[in-house]
Amino acid sequence: MSLSPRLEALIDALQCLPGVGRKSAQRMAFQLLERDRSGAGALARQLDDALANIGRCERCQTFAEDALCPVCADDRRDGSLMCVVESPADLAAIEQSGDYRGYYFVLLGHLSPIDGIGPEDIGVDQLLAQIHERGVTELIMATNATVEGDATAHYIADRVDPETVTITRPAQGLPVGGELGGVDGGTLSHALRGRRPFAG
Amino acid sequence: MSLSPRLEALIDALQCLPGVGRKSAQRMAFQLLERDRSGAGALARQLDDALANIGRCERCQTFAEDALCPVCADDRRDGSLMCVVESPADLAAIEQSGDYRGYYFVLLGHLSPIDGIGPEDIGVDQLLAQIHERGVTELIMATNATVEGDATAHYIADRVDPETVTITRPAQGLPVGGELGGVDGGTLSHALRGRRPFAG
């Protein structure tokens, strides 16, 4: 014998969480059963509630409880601007910065042929339809600055009509408040190549 | 706006897991909703099932689905031996080593005055009653080799009648298969002080 079957089943189930292996799952199961049964009950309820009620926005694909997410439902935004991001977390980060007033399209991932994720899985056709429908004139490619994010941005740029839509990418360079010595070489060379006149 | 209220509630609930902060919880919630809804559903079911059905063994306090855990229910074990451990994981580890044939007592923690955990919270009275009831003659203190584990072992040792019960502690020394250079100083000095004649 080692652990009871239900405990084993719980430990297995906890391993569906990203970054959680057998050891962490065991620690989590013990902690919940020993010290936080009310927290575990709340987690089970919130999981069920989220699964039953959180779907995707019909327009931008982000997580939403209604047919449209709050951003798409807000018709005071600038319909000529659309920002393409990989995940709802990226959307939330841009919203928190407070500057952007256009709409979004959330790919929920990036192209990854090795994992079998093609254009139809990230909703490229739906993005193109949205660009047409909303009359977008500038598409901001805010996919991650990774190989996959870049490849996804290039693929989408190739499918967009360059006559009607300008495609841009957020500037790459030094982070605000960052120390030069702590910045990696790739970022530093981007920052130097993209240097600008000193505004004084 | 940033995230939907139900998504926020799920992210909050995930933070009951040990070692999971806001960022990890957000990543977990997105991952479950995007890619593993069946896993999330299974996790919710297993949590509910575990909370409803996993209690504690009446004798040794480990997690059990019935009144007695499989070890305590096995009457072919050696009743004169009892091993005191801090958690069901420690019990499982000793069981997997395969050598030990006595019973256990699981403290489900250690004494920690700073967190308000006293002898009654880890079941010391129940342990003393079990020692008496089962006729234990050797008590193996397999609490963790930490300050708290040592203090807990000393406290229990003081409460046990030395006339009838011998108290032992697992040997401390070099791990089997370990390289000398990778062993910390404390372990190394324990190993040297506890040196034995070479058996050849």
Side-chain angles (χ1 to χ4, degrees):
Chain A
M1 97 104 212
S2 52
L3 300 168
S4 77
R6 280 195 175 86
L7 196 51
E8 287 287 355
L10 175 58
I11 292 169
D12 282 346
L14 281 164
Q15 290 177 60
C16 74
L17 298 170
V20 175
R22 164 98 201 163
K23 280 249 167 187
S24 308
Q26 186 172 306
R27 199 162 49 91
M28 287 174 171
F30 290 158
Q31 164 89 8
L32 291 177
L33 287 169
E34 273 178 49
R35 310 234 179 274
D36 197 7
R37 286 184 172 241
S38 69
L43 176 55
R45 279 194 306 282
Q46 293 301 343
L47 279 169
D48 280 332
D49 191 44
L51 289 173
N53 294 297
I54 297 180
R56 296 192 176 167
C57 172
E58 284 176 3
R59 288 194 182 158
C60 76
Q61 294 200 127
T62 197
F63 295 132
E65 297 179 19
D66 305 309
L68 293 184
C69 71
V71 174
C72 287
D74 179 358
D75 55 15
R76 290 164 307 170
R77 289 194 162 230
D78 182 352
S80 69
L81 263 179
M82 179 168 284
C83 181
V84 178
V85 294
E86 291 189 20
S87 87
D90 301 337
L91 184 159
I94 295 176
E95 280 298 288
Q96 273 162 22
S97 78
D99 260 356
Y100 180 70
R101 296 300 301 160
Y103 291 99
Y104 294 91
F105 191 86
V106 180
L107 299 172
L108 293 175
H110 47 239
L111 291 178
S112 179
I114 210 165
D115 301 316
I117 300 177
E120 64 286 354
D121 299 307
I122 59 174
V124 173
D125 287 337
Q126 193 180 338
L127 166 60
L128 297 174
Q130 283 290 314
I131 290 171
H132 186 74
E133 195 176 302
R134 289 196 190 251
V136 171
T137 57
E138 181 178 350
L139 191 67
I140 305 174
M141 288 290 185
T143 52
N144 290 337
T146 57
V147 175
E148 295 88 353
D150 283 338
T152 306
H154 279 290
Y155 176 85
I156 293 171
D158 283 345
R159 298 270 310 262
V160 171
D161 177 9
E163 300 282 308
T164 55
V165 183
T166 311
I167 297 176
T168 57
R169 195 128 167 75
Q172 287 193 310
L174 302 176
V176 175
E179 292 187 16
L180 211 73
V183 171
D184 66 289
T187 303
L188 209 50
S189 74
H190 266 289
L192 287 173
R193 265 184 279 145
R195 62 190 182 278
R196 295 176 169 211
F198 187 55
Chain B
M1 97 105 212
S2 51
L3 300 167
S4 77
R6 280 195 175 88
L7 196 50
E8 288 287 353
L10 175 59
I11 292 170
D12 283 345
L14 281 164
Q15 291 176 61
C16 75
L17 298 169
V20 175
R22 163 96 201 166
K23 280 249 166 185
S24 310
Q26 186 172 305
R27 199 162 50 92
M28 286 172 171
F30 289 160
Q31 165 89 8
L32 291 177
L33 288 169
E34 273 178 49
R35 310 233 178 276
D36 197 7
R37 285 183 172 243
S38 69
L43 176 55
R45 279 195 305 281
Q46 293 301 343
L47 280 168
D48 280 333
D49 190 45
L51 289 173
N53 293 299
I54 297 180
R56 294 190 177 169
C57 172
E58 284 175 4
R59 288 193 183 159
C60 76
Q61 294 200 126
T62 197
F63 296 131
E65 297 179 20
D66 305 310
L68 293 184
C69 71
V71 174
C72 288
D74 179 358
D75 54 14
R76 290 163 306 168
R77 288 191 163 233
D78 182 352
S80 69
L81 263 179
M82 179 168 284
C83 182
V84 178
V85 293
E86 290 190 20
S87 87
D90 300 337
L91 185 158
I94 296 176
E95 281 298 289
Q96 273 162 22
S97 79
D99 260 357
Y100 180 71
R101 296 299 302 158
Y103 291 99
Y104 294 90
F105 191 86
V106 180
L107 299 172
L108 292 176
H110 47 240
L111 292 178
S112 180
I114 211 166
D115 301 316
I117 300 176
E120 63 287 354
D121 299 307
I122 59 174
V124 173
D125 287 338
Q126 193 180 337
L127 166 60
L128 297 173
Q130 283 290 315
I131 290 171
H132 186 75
E133 194 177 303
R134 289 196 189 250
V136 170
T137 57
E138 181 179 350
L139 191 67
I140 305 173
M141 288 290 185
T143 53
N144 290 337
T146 57
V147 175
E148 296 87 354
D150 283 339
T152 306
H154 279 290
Y155 177 84
I156 293 171
D158 283 346
R159 299 271 309 263
V160 170
D161 178 9
E163 300 283 307
T164 55
V165 183
T166 311
I167 298 176
T168 57
R169 194 127 167 78
Q172 288 194 309
L174 303 176
V176 174
E179 292 187 15
L180 211 74
V183 172
D184 68 289
T187 303
L188 210 51
S189 73
H190 266 290
L192 287 172
R193 266 184 280 146
R195 64 189 181 277
R196 296 177 169 210
F198 187 56

